[in-house]
Amino acid sequence: MEVQFKDAKQGDMKEIICVICPNSCKLQVFKDKKGEVQVEGYGCTRGIQYGEDEYTAPKRTLITTVKIDGGELPVLPVRSKVAIPKEKLFKAMEVANHVTAKAPIKMGDVVIPNLLGLGVEVIASRSMGKKE
Amino acid sequence: MYDIAIIGGGVTGCAIARWLSRYKLKTILIEKHEDVASETTKGNSAIIHAGYASPDGTIRCKMNVKGNPMFDQAKKELHFDFERVGSFVVAFTDEDMKAIEHELKQARERNIPGEIITDIKRIKTMEPNISDKVKGIFYAPTAGLVWPFGLTVALAENAFENGVEFLFSSPVTGIRKTEKGFTIQAGEKQIDTIIVINAAGVFADDIAKMVGADDFTITPRKGEYILMDRGSCPVNYILFPTPTIVSKGILVCPTIEGHTFIGPNAQNQESKTDVRTTSAGLNEIIVGGRKLLPSIPIRSAITNFAGLRAVSNRNGDFIIEPSKVENFINVAGICSPGLSSCLAIAEYVVSLVKDHTTLKVEENPDWNPIRKPQKRLVDMNEDELSEAIKERSQWGRVVCRCETVTEAEIVDAIHRPIPCTSMDMIKKRIRPGMGRCQGGFCTPKILKILSRELDKPVTEITKNDKGSEMVFARTKQLEIQPWKGDKP
Amino acid sequence: MRRFIETDIAVLGGGPAGLAAAMIAHEKGAKVTIIERDFELGGILQQCIHNGFGLTYFKEELTGPEYAQKFIDKVKASGIEILLDSMVIDLTPDKTITAMNPEMGLMKIKAKSVILAMGCRERTRGAINVPGTRPAGIYSAGTAQRLVNMEGYMPGKRVVILGSGDIGLIMARRMTLEGAKVLCVAEVLPYCSGLVRNFVQCLQDYNIPLHLSHTITDIRGTDRVKEVVISEVDEKWMPIPGSEKIFECDTVLFSVGLIPENEISLKAGILLDKTNGPMVNEYLETTVPGIFACGNVLQVHDLVDWVTKEAERAGENAYNYVSNLDRGGKLLKPIRTIPGENVGYIVPQRIDHLKEEKLVQFSFRPKSPDKDCIIEFISRGKIFDKRKSKHIIPSEMLNFQIKVNPEIVESDITIHIKKAPPKVTQEEK
């Protein structure tokens, strides 16, 4: 049993620090012989899900600013409504860098309706009035 | 053709420029940096010494003794921050006591007020936090504090208003002797002048060498300093340890703005530009400072910096003399007590111009010794401030909260006779960013105000000289153009 | 001629603490005036555009501006008096405030109670005595954050960051996303002082190295930063010669701690603790009666949710003060709280009133990280309460509501954080 584990780990084992709570468990995540994702080193069951997600498809919320026309500030903070695949963050930044919002705007207003065709909205993080 | 060209816009050069401006002369001051007070004047103890300390018979002794009393009149005319707070030389041992007795003797001979106090209770009342090991002190009440930037800017502005021209960002790279005088290569410009006054600080020997007037050398001596926050370790007097041969030692003193100042150490070096602070140096200062004031809380430091003193190879004395090259006057090796001496030096240099050059010197009947200072919030009472805001709303917007500087003051500084074009220039006039947060909150605001007033994009605003741009680019394809917000 | 304003409660600062305190006091029925120095409400949250806020208070994950907006909308709709672009320049013990702004000029505001909510400032390079030159390109992380997130300027292209606190980590990610190269983060402590989540998502995600037990030992460059030298430090934080690493860069960001901003508090004669925050009692009342403190001006928080909760208590207590509510049980000698083993500081510093058993909120920080701890509350040499904590780190504040009973507690309360004795499991028995 143990031998099998070691063999399996050698291929594509990843060390992932669990960020669910401050305990920061060091997870070892790998695919077993059957190709199923296995998580070891977790302190609680929440770590299993986190480890699986981080291993197979890590996601992050896009947090940035976009240019805003006529606003009290030149830039408006925005975020993706849900997390997007981690590897798409820089592509998403490129999109955001070329988008211009228009003041006045309300928190939650959609700034980018369909980010990179992912079906994810990017929304204003705050309301911003028009510059007087 | 200029009558006189002064090389160097430190406090010495500016004092000379101001003194010359009372005569009918065409004078120009050439400065390497974008502003006056950019090297030695920028990093020193900011003390106007009483004058008892320098050895008898030296030029620096003569200049200090003469220069100290001149500050009262100059303050009346030029309106800069100066206060006679008095100094202590602190003795811890019997040997130290002998040394301060010697200082008392010198003070008496030079008619400088002073006394030795050995009543510990009295010393402790005057300076409650002084070390318990104190045996006695030499108290010199005429020692004072000045804000070197304020003083230098005041001298320069008054000189400017009386006709002296200023050429900034123009390093002198060559001087050629001509039939009528000299041609100076200053930056892109060539300046023709009859007389040259070399007040180039640590570079004075290099400048003199350009015409063969270098019968001296200058060694830069670095001194590091730490500035402590207001209220963190208050002192009432300038506290010197008993001096050694190399320097007056690491002192602790209040600053004119109410901070506490510790330093300097003394380190001779080759480089004339290296003003780095070092871990070892800063440690040395803390250890030294704590000998006088044991309670210095190092976590309350605001900033640290270093300055270079220009030390001559003539026993460290000042060199103020016509050189062997006719009409070329050296004002070199102005180390400590240079700041205290600057007004006396200026007067003396003008007498040299009169006596040792071919120039005819006539009084200028239109000379105005009064420099109208910039209006500041810190000098106003509530009624005055209230009126000022009503007249101009910018007085109501505090930009720098640590030093309480308003937008009006920053805008005014930008439009002074010698206009401010950088962050440091504004700082050197009205102090935003010099307080406890060191510009953390006000930097973005001042950048924008400079951008608007100078009609230049923020990306072109510098900290000081060219190449010190504060920000590189805009995010999000924003246009690079001057800021246009908050017009009054 | 000066404008004169009378109010029940003046709130100094319109950030998260000021907003929450003002809102509660207003809801209770007091006339409230907020004085804010910036052109808008929201305080530092407006530049903290990242997410991770609100999980405790709102039970949802919000960005800084979103968290602020929720309060701003409520406050704006409430009719609370808001003075923007306004700087407080003086505060007296009798609660007269001198403030000014461009439109209204110099103002005198007479309040029955004052809530201090001015927040904090960043510790500077000078305060930690980092040597080197002083060229352009040296910023505190918060200043850079404001420039990037609110003003739309990039302060640098190649960046070294000192300090692994959350702001430092978050700026590493932010600068990277905006196209800068962050060469490394150096941290003098042997552990990352920010949240693990930020370490993973701000540094690991972008392969930004974190050098623990390292500090900056030289900054080079005359006009603009050219190079930064970092060195490993020993356990006394002294640089180890020979361990220097040189980074070619144009920018250094300092993220080396926050300091409560209490210059105004000092003007009112309020006594400060060694943390630089005011000494308060169990009602968050400072040493000047009727002046309360909350948020980062009182103690630097790691979660804004706790700021809000603390501010709401301050707002309620200020309301009770102006309505002359009798607290009862005023002690002749206050009960002092004393930080014991592995405790950095405690808020409140004293308990002024104790008639019968009551709940007191204690906030404190451990000095160093530890696992499986027992937190002991001791008075008269006896443990009168204890709590367990699986994991403690200095960057995470500990908050406990503890029953304090006058029959048990007397003169002072000491709090210790101790290692729990190893568990004896069933099998071992």
Side-chain angles (χ1 to χ4, degrees):
Chain A
M1 193 62 180
E2 215 183 318
V3 178
Q4 278 176 9
F5 256 101
K6 271 186 181 163
D7 285 341
K9 275 185 209 173
Q10 273 166 2
D12 44 7
M13 202 272 284
K14 272 191 196 162
E15 280 252 11
I16 290 170
I17 305 171
C18 180
V19 302
I20 298 288
C21 82
N23 271 333
S24 320
C25 298
K26 284 198 178 62
L27 311 175
Q28 290 103 44
V29 191
F30 54 92
K31 276 194 182 141
D32 64 13
K33 264 185 163 177
K34 292 177 199 157
E36 278 171 27
V37 177
Q38 296 289 336
V39 180
E40 286 187 352
Y42 53 86
C44 71
T45 48
R46 288 184 299 173
I48 304 174
Q49 187 64 50
Y50 178 81
E52 272 185 35
D53 291 348
E54 274 291 285
Y55 184 84
T56 50
K59 284 185 170 180
R60 300 287 184 266
T61 303
L62 172 72
I63 300 281
T64 186
T65 56
V66 296
K67 186 175 161 183
I68 181 162
D69 266 357
E72 289 161 329
L73 294 168
V75 285
L76 173 80
V78 297
R79 70 167 168 102
S80 61
K81 215 165 172 181
V82 296
I84 62 166
K86 191 169 105 175
E87 73 274 7
K88 294 237 155 84
L89 277 174
F90 281 100
K91 276 247 150 65
M93 279 298 293
E94 268 177 48
V95 174
N97 285 346
H98 289 87
V99 165
T100 304
K102 216 171 144 58
I105 199 161
K106 280 214 138 18
M107 172 171 77
D109 283 357
V110 176
V111 176
I112 303 169
N114 184 2
L115 180 64
L116 296 168
L118 295 164
V120 173
E121 287 177 337
V122 174
I123 54 171
S125 245
R126 57 169 286 177
S127 305
M128 195 183 287
K130 258 191 170 167
K131 195 159 123 194
E132 284 162 30
Chain B
M1 185 76 155
Y2 290 93
D3 293 321
I4 299 180
I6 303 162
I7 301 173
V11 73
T12 309
C14 291
I16 295 168
R18 194 245 175 179
W19 209 267
L20 284 170
S21 73
R22 60 196 296 163
Y23 302 97
K24 282 186 182 166
L25 295 167
K26 196 168 152 58
T27 307
I28 186 166
L29 186 145
I30 303 165
E31 167 57 44
K32 174 168 59 178
H33 297 285
E34 48 131 30
D35 192 13
V36 296
S38 289
E39 286 189 359
T40 294
T41 306
K42 190 166 140 185
N44 59 75
S45 310
I47 291 167
I48 303 306
H49 295 279
Y52 55 79
S54 300
D56 270 327
T58 57
I59 302 169
R60 62 181 205 267
C61 168
K62 212 168 98 186
M63 291 296 144
N64 189 170
V65 172
K66 188 143 188 272
N68 175 300
M70 294 172 82
F71 272 82
D72 299 300
Q73 176 71 17
K75 182 184 171 174
K76 271 186 211 144
E77 293 173 349
L78 297 169
H79 299 100
F80 53 85
D81 293 323
F82 166 68
E83 208 181 321
R84 295 194 188 277
V85 297
S87 66
F88 287 8
V89 180
V90 183
F92 294 114
T93 63
D94 291 338
E95 214 172 303
D96 288 353
M97 284 304 292
K98 268 185 215 149
I100 66 170
E101 270 154 29
H102 176 70
E103 303 209 305
L104 174 69
K105 186 175 147 268
Q106 286 197 158
R108 292 228 165 107
E109 284 164 7
R110 296 170 192 175
N111 276 323
I112 298 164
E115 61 173 313
I116 284 181
I117 303 172
T118 49
D119 175 355
I120 305 298
K121 234 175 103 185
R122 188 175 157 210
I123 296 171
K124 281 273 182 185
T125 316
M126 292 172 83
E127 194 64 272
N129 296 324
I130 199 168
S131 166
D132 290 337
K133 292 182 185 144
V134 59
K135 268 195 116 162
I137 58 151
F138 171 60
Y139 170 50
T142 53
L145 299 170
V146 72
W147 196 41
F149 299 131
L151 168 64
T152 311
V153 168
L155 289 163
E157 285 189 352
N158 188 239
F160 179 84
E161 284 169 330
N162 284 300
V164 175
E165 291 174 39
F166 283 78
L167 181 62
F168 288 110
S169 302
S170 303
V172 171
T173 49
I175 306 172
R176 195 157 41 84
K177 187 92 185 78
T178 61
E179 207 177 305
K180 284 185 176 163
F182 303 88
T183 299
I184 303 170
Q185 187 68 46
E188 313 269 275
K189 286 215 167 95
Q190 290 195 336
I191 304 293
D192 293 318
T193 178
I194 299 168
I195 292 175
V196 174
I197 295 172
N198 171 18
V202 288
F203 294 94
D205 52 349
D206 302 322
I207 294 289
K209 202 182 260 173
M210 292 176 185
V211 287
D214 56 322
D215 48 358
F216 63 91
T217 57
I218 300 294
T219 305
R221 184 178 291 162
K222 182 153 77 181
E224 293 164 85
Y225 294 92
I226 299 174
L227 189 69
M228 310 293 297
D229 197 1
R230 286 197 183 94
S232 63
C233 50
V235 279
N236 300 319
Y237 297 89
I238 302 158
L239 309 181
F240 297 107
T242 309
T244 63
I245 308 156
V246 217
S247 91
K248 296 191 177 72
I250 290 161
L251 60 93
V252 179
C253 71
T255 68
I256 198 114
E257 318 81 39
H259 295 106
T260 299
F261 203 40
I262 321 165
N265 52 1
Q267 193 86 51
N268 285 354
Q269 64 180 36
E270 290 263 313
S271 167
K272 293 184 172 180
T273 52
D274 175 2
V275 283
R276 272 184 306 169
T277 51
T278 61
S279 306
L282 296 176
N283 253 336
E284 186 186 347
I285 294 166
I286 295 161
V287 171
R290 281 186 175 155
K291 281 185 191 152
L292 296 166
L293 200 73
S295 58
I296 293 169
I298 204 52
R299 292 287 270 184
S300 300
I302 290 179
T303 186
N304 60 68
F305 60 88
L308 301 180
R309 319 174 186 68
V311 183
S312 79
N313 61 342
R314 294 198 199 156
N315 273 329
D317 202 3
F318 296 171
I319 299 168
I320 309 169
E321 60 191 26
S323 72
K324 57 188 177 186
V325 178
E326 193 185 35
N327 289 347
F328 191 99
I329 297 171
N330 283 319
V331 187
I334 313 297
C335 55
S336 182
L339 194 62
S340 322
S341 306
C342 67
L343 302 173
I345 293 173
E347 194 187 49
Y348 181 54
V349 168
V350 173
S351 77
L352 292 179
V353 171
K354 285 180 184 166
D355 299 344
H356 295 274
T357 69
T358 51
L359 207 66
K360 234 181 97 211
V361 177
E362 261 179 79
E363 294 260 347
N364 171 11
D366 298 331
W367 184 61
N368 180 9
I370 309 296
R371 170 241 183 197
K372 232 179 122 200
Q374 195 181 331
K375 220 163 111 182
R376 298 185 302 188
L377 179 140
V378 289
D379 302 325
M380 294 182 188
N381 63 33
E382 288 190 356
D383 290 325
E384 289 165 340
L385 178 58
S386 200
E387 278 310 306
I389 302 172
K390 245 176 247 166
E391 271 171 40
R392 186 171 153 211
S393 64
Q394 286 176 333
W395 277 105
R397 183 175 290 123
V398 175
V399 173
C400 165
R401 43 223 274 245
C402 304
E403 300 298 307
T404 328
V405 182
T406 63
E407 185 174 4
E409 291 159 89
I410 291 167
V411 171
D412 285 351
I414 295 171
H415 301 295
R416 288 293 290 179
I418 296 174
C420 291
T421 52
S422 71
M423 299 294 286
D424 279 1
M425 282 186 88
I426 293 177
K427 196 167 159 180
K428 277 152 76 176
R429 274 134 185 105
I430 43 166
R431 311 188 43 80
M434 279 196 178
R436 58 180 65 87
C437 92
Q438 288 285 295
F441 289 109
C442 63
T443 297
K445 294 179 186 175
I446 300 171
L447 278 173
K448 290 195 292 185
I449 297 171
L450 268 166
S451 167
R452 181 187 67 203
E453 299 297 318
L454 300 173
D455 199 26
K456 255 162 81 166
V458 169
T459 44
E460 287 173 28
I461 306 295
T462 54
K463 181 172 189 290
N464 42 54
D465 293 317
K466 205 163 170 276
S468 66
E469 281 72 19
M470 295 286 292
V471 300
F472 286 138
R474 298 223 68 172
T475 62
K476 316 296 156 194
Q477 330 274 310
L478 284 160
E479 277 174 54
I480 294 177
Q481 58 176 21
W483 187 64
K484 294 212 170 67
D486 280 345
K487 272 272 185 203
Chain C
M1 278 291 286
R2 244 158 275 150
R3 196 180 288 250
F4 189 80
I5 297 172
E6 269 186 292
T7 190
D8 289 339
I9 300 172
V11 181
L12 311 195
L19 290 169
M23 203 56 221
I24 288 287
H26 168 83
E27 281 170 359
K28 296 254 168 195
K31 179 178 184 322
V32 181
T33 304
I34 299 177
I35 309 164
E36 165 58 40
R37 69 185 162 90
D38 216 331
F39 79 100
E40 62 177 359
L41 295 172
I44 215 71
L45 285 177
Q46 298 289 21
Q47 67 182 55
C48 300
I49 66 168
H50 53 279
N51 57 352
F53 300 90
L55 283 165
T56 309
Y57 189 81
F58 287 112
K59 312 282 177 227
E60 61 174 317
E61 194 177 19
L62 302 168
T63 65
E66 284 173 329
Y67 191 98
Q69 194 73 53
K70 285 181 176 252
F71 283 93
I72 293 170
D73 290 345
K74 265 167 92 179
V75 165
K76 277 189 177 166
S78 72
I80 290 173
E81 183 174 32
I82 304 163
L83 303 175
L84 296 176
D85 208 2
S86 301
M87 183 69 80
V88 172
I89 51 178
D90 196 23
L91 170 65
T92 63
D94 73 348
K95 300 180 267 298
T96 302
I97 295 156
T98 310
M100 60 200 256
N101 73 28
E103 275 67 50
M104 300 159 83
L106 202 66
M107 294 171 268
K108 291 280 176 187
I109 301 160
K110 181 82 190 91
K112 291 177 189 149
S113 173
V114 173
I115 298 175
L116 306 173
M118 293 91 77
C120 56
R121 65 168 181 273
E122 296 179 274
R123 184 170 281 127
T124 63
R125 169 195 182 181
I128 53 166
N129 276 303
V130 169
T133 57
R134 300 190 303 147
I138 301 171
Y139 287 99
S140 67
T143 308
Q145 191 177 43
R146 172 140 192 144
L147 283 169
V148 176
N149 292 349
M150 292 179 77
E151 314 281 356
Y153 291 104
M154 275 301 274
K157 292 179 222 156
R158 289 174 66 83
V159 187
V160 168
I161 298 175
L162 181 65
S164 67
D166 289 317
I167 313 171
L169 301 179
I170 275 156
M171 279 314 289
R173 173 175 65 187
R174 191 69 193 112
M175 296 292 284
T176 306
L177 283 174
E178 288 294 344
K181 172 84 186 154
V182 178
L183 301 168
C184 73
V185 176
E187 168 61 57
V188 74
L189 296 167
Y191 53 87
C192 178
S193 62
L195 299 171
V196 180
R197 176 192 147 103
N198 284 331
F199 165 70
V200 170
Q201 299 192 352
C202 297
L203 300 190
Q204 270 198 342
D205 274 5
Y206 303 95
N207 297 316
I208 299 167
L210 170 64
H211 298 289
L212 296 173
S213 298
H214 275 74
T215 192
I216 294 180
T217 45
D218 200 5
I219 295 174
R220 297 168 182 170
T222 311
D223 298 320
R224 181 84 197 190
V225 174
K226 273 214 166 69
E227 280 176 350
V228 163
V229 182
I230 71 167
S231 303
E232 199 175 341
V233 296
D234 61 22
E235 51 301 340
K236 282 178 187 152
W237 293 8
M238 293 307 285
I240 301 167
S243 66
E244 296 84 2
K245 294 183 189 69
I246 301 173
F247 294 90
E248 214 179 288
C249 61
D250 51 49
T251 303
V252 193
L253 301 186
F254 281 87
S255 173
V256 290
L258 301 168
I259 305 167
E261 185 122 282
N262 275 294
E263 283 61 45
I264 292 292
S265 320
L266 288 170
K267 288 190 177 177
I270 290 165
L271 299 179
L272 303 186
D273 197 1
K274 62 175 183 211
T275 54
N276 266 313
M279 312 244 267
V280 293
N281 65 14
E282 72 276 29
Y283 299 101
L284 302 172
E285 187 180 29
T286 66
T287 52
V288 175
I291 301 185
F292 298 82
C294 58
N296 283 353
V297 81
L298 172 60
Q299 54 177 338
V300 175
H301 292 66
D302 37 276
L303 289 178
V304 71
D305 305 67
W306 284 104
V307 169
T308 302
K309 288 184 175 181
E310 189 174 273
E312 289 181 342
R313 283 204 293 136
E316 188 171 343
N317 292 331
Y319 171 76
N320 290 341
Y321 176 87
V322 298
S323 29
N324 295 314
L325 188 86
D326 184 21
R327 291 166 182 163
K330 170 99 174 140
L331 298 165
L332 281 174
K333 218 176 137 244
I335 294 165
R336 289 185 310 143
T337 58
I338 302 167
E341 198 178 315
N342 200 16
V343 176
Y345 72 89
I346 304 168
V347 168
Q349 285 79 2
R350 64 181 197 280
I351 294 169
D352 277 344
H353 299 259
L354 192 58
K355 195 168 65 185
E356 52 207 17
E357 184 174 270
K358 68 175 184 182
L359 281 170
V360 174
Q361 174 84 35
F362 291 93
S363 312
F364 48 97
R365 274 180 201 277
K367 284 186 191 164
S368 52
D370 208 345
K371 277 185 176 172
D372 300 316
C373 298
I374 288 193
I375 298 156
E376 297 175 347
F377 297 80
I378 297 170
S379 190
R380 285 161 47 182
K382 273 191 188 144
I383 301 170
F384 67 92
D385 205 339
K386 60 182 174 185
R387 301 296 164 95
K388 278 183 193 164
S389 185
K390 269 191 90 168
H391 190 95
I392 57 153
I393 48 169
S395 57
E396 284 179 37
M397 184 191 286
L398 295 159
N399 278 291
F400 294 102
Q401 273 202 328
I402 300 293
K403 277 183 193 151
V404 177
N405 188 319
E407 278 162 37
I408 298 165
V409 171
E410 202 179 74
S411 79
D412 51 49
I413 294 171
T414 304
I415 303 177
H416 294 301
I417 301 175
K418 287 183 171 165
K419 192 100 189 144
K423 272 185 214 154
V424 183
T425 58
Q426 209 59 40
E427 292 89 83
E428 278 167 312
K429 267 184 193 168

